[in-house]
Amino acid sequence: MDIDNLDDMDLHQLMIEKLSGIITAEDDHLLEQLILKDEEVRKQWEDLKRSFPARDNLEYDLVESWEKISGNARLSRRRQWLLRISAAALLAGVIACAFFI
């Protein structure tokens, strides 16, 4: 990207990419230059940084979410196990009734 051809939407996109950690080296250099040279860009950058959640918090939330999901998977396995035991007991009951009849 060229500094002269950068509109507000592109600038905002670059800032989001930088905060997300997915910005290219070339775009990162361009954004750093803009932040240093332009006071308005610097203000937008600081405002966006304050409103954007920290990457550490995002990673923590992902770990917490994974623990919840895997906990539900274990619960589901328990339910499957209980369902199989119940089905086997019902089948045994039906066979026992048929045998006595």
Side-chain angles (χ1 to χ4, degrees):
M1 274 186 210
D2 185 22
I3 290 178
D4 298 329
N5 297 332
L6 199 64
D7 64 8
D8 286 341
M9 191 67 136
D10 292 333
L11 179 62
H12 189 74
Q13 180 66 32
L14 286 177
M15 290 179 182
I16 296 292
E17 288 175 4
K18 183 170 179 70
L19 288 171
S20 300
I22 60 171
I23 194 167
T24 64
E26 180 183 333
D27 287 346
D28 188 34
H29 180 70
L30 173 69
L31 182 59
E32 289 294 330
Q33 285 180 341
L34 287 169
I35 291 170
L36 291 174
K37 292 179 182 178
D38 191 333
E39 184 63 33
E40 182 61 31
V41 172
R42 185 173 330 151
K43 183 181 180 312
Q44 289 176 15
W45 171 244
E46 293 300 325
D47 290 344
L48 188 60
K49 274 193 336 188
R50 277 192 294 278
S51 67
F52 203 80
R55 289 180 68 196
D56 292 341
N57 291 343
L58 291 175
E59 289 173 13
Y60 176 75
D61 290 342
L62 289 174
V63 170
E64 184 178 331
S65 297
W66 176 251
E67 287 174 354
K68 288 179 182 177
I69 291 170
S70 63
N72 288 341
R74 272 187 250 124
L75 187 61
S76 177
R77 287 186 201 126
R78 287 182 190 147
R79 287 183 186 154
Q80 288 177 351
W81 184 75
L82 287 174
L83 183 62
R84 288 178 182 156
I85 297 272
S86 300
L90 180 64
L91 183 61
V94 168
I95 291 172
C97 286
F99 179 72
F100 287 114
I101 292 179

